[in-house]
Amino acid sequence: MPTPSRRTTLVALASAVALLLTGCGSDGSDISDGAAPEKSPAPTRSVAPPSKAPTPPPPPAKSSSLPKAADGTDLAACGDGTCEVEVKTGDVISVKSSSGVEEFMITGFGEGGATVAVGPFDNPMTTTVNGGVKINGVSLEITPLNDKRAIAKVS
């Protein structure tokens, strides 16, 4: 039977062999001081944020109402030679001009603009106004609202 000093030597030698064997196949880090091996950080991936398509602007708000004439439907407001009124077929706009009284009767609306009879109506001249016309110093601009109404601006 081995002596106690020999037994201690054998235990120490066995422990050393055990430590060496547990180190085999390791990543080579030094664990002889009894500390746990360091873990290498997990690889990180750099991920770009998902690209966002530009958001289109919202569609313009649709107005359910048509533009309003400054003088509404008051055809008498045109008597002084300046007005902005809403007109329909059959309306007559009377305007004082340098050459007398001019009268404009709206006789209808079509694809080409508003049809207007220019008076005096005992001998009227008929014209289609698509935008504006100037007669005897009076300017008449027609802006269609729909196929039955328009805004007439006299200046």
Side-chain angles (χ1 to χ4, degrees):
M1 184 143 188
T3 63
S5 68
R6 235 181 197 194
R7 203 179 283 166
T8 307
T9 307
L10 284 175
V11 171
L13 183 59
S15 296
V17 170
L19 278 174
L20 286 175
L21 289 176
T22 57
C24 289
S26 73
D27 64 356
S29 62
D30 183 18
I31 58 169
S32 64
D33 62 358
E38 287 185 31
K39 292 184 180 179
S40 49
T44 58
R45 285 190 322 182
S46 174
V47 178
S51 63
K52 291 184 179 181
T55 304
K62 292 185 179 182
S63 173
S64 61
S65 63
L66 297 171
K68 303 286 184 197
D71 295 311
T73 57
D74 181 13
L75 300 177
C78 298
D80 65 356
T82 304
C83 66
E84 183 179 274
V85 292
E86 186 175 323
V87 293
K88 64 185 181 323
T89 300
D91 283 349
V92 176
I93 300 171
S94 296
V95 181
K96 290 181 185 174
S97 72
S98 58
S99 63
V101 176
E102 298 293 336
E103 295 177 309
F104 303 96
M105 180 190 296
I106 309 302
T107 59
F109 298 98
E111 287 183 23
T115 305
V116 178
V118 181
F121 296 118
D122 56 345
N123 187 18
M125 172 186 83
T126 303
T127 187
T128 300
V129 179
N130 184 2
V133 64
K134 190 168 188 170
I135 299 171
N136 293 335
V138 177
S139 293
L140 174 65
E141 294 177 39
I142 304 282
T143 304
L145 297 175
N146 55 38
D147 59 351
K148 296 180 182 180
R149 303 191 75 67
I151 293 178
K153 183 175 181 181
V154 177
S155 57

